[in-house]
Amino acid sequence: MNHTENSSFREKLIEHLFIGELLKLSWKSSNCTLEVASPEVDNAGYDVIAEDNGIVRHIQLKASYIGGRTANQKVHTRLSDKPSGCVLWIYFNEDTLELGPFLFFGAQPGERLPALDGLKVAKHTKGDQDGFKAERPNIRVLPKGKFRKIECVDEVYAALFGATM
C-alpha cells in the first residue's frame, strides 16, 4: 500500500485503531469509564479529547510506520492552553498495522504540556509563487528527542490517565 498517496485514510485508520485499543483496555478493566470525543474543527492542534479518572486529555496524534525517517513533528502552540494537552506519536507496522511503540510528549495527568518556548517556528511546506516559505507563527517543530518512548498501549493509558490496567 502506498502510505503517501493514502495518507489521510491511513491517519484516520491509525486514530480509530488507537481509540479502539484504549476502549478495549477500559472494557477489560471492567469499568468502561473512558470517554472519547473528536473536535469538529482542528484549529487548536488536537485530534482527540479523552477523559478517564477525572483527567481530560487533548491529544494530538501523529503516526509513522516503523523504520520511517521522520525526525520531528509539528505542534500547535494552542495545545499548551489545554489542560493536560499532549502529543502521541504512534509507530505502526506498515504490513500488519499493529500499533507500537509510542512516543509521548506531555506532562503528568492533570498538568499542562511542557513549554514549547525555544522550539523552532515551523514553515509552510510549499512556497509561494517566488518559492518563499512563510513561517507558521502558531506551529513549533518538536524534535523526536523531546518525546518519551512507551512500548505498549497499557503504558500509554497510564501515561494519559494515571491508571494502570
Side-chain angles (χ1 to χ4, degrees), residues 43-58:
N43 66 352
Y46 58 90
D47 302 295
V48 174
I49 304 163
E51 188 269 330
D52 200 1
N53 295 331
I55 303 297
V56 177
R57 286 284 195 176
H58 290 75

Side-chain angles (χ1 to χ4, degrees), residues 11-26:
E11 181 180 311
K12 267 305 185 196
L13 173 60
I14 296 299
E15 179 180 319
H16 285 283
L17 290 172
F18 173 67
I19 291 169
E21 289 297 318
L22 293 181
L23 290 168
K24 185 176 8 174
L25 286 173
S26 186

Side-chain angles (χ1 to χ4, degrees), residues 141-153:
V141 178
L142 186 61
K144 187 185 264 187
K146 297 275 188 185
F147 288 81
R148 173 172 58 102
K149 186 175 183 180
I150 299 176
E151 290 297 330
C152 63
V153 74

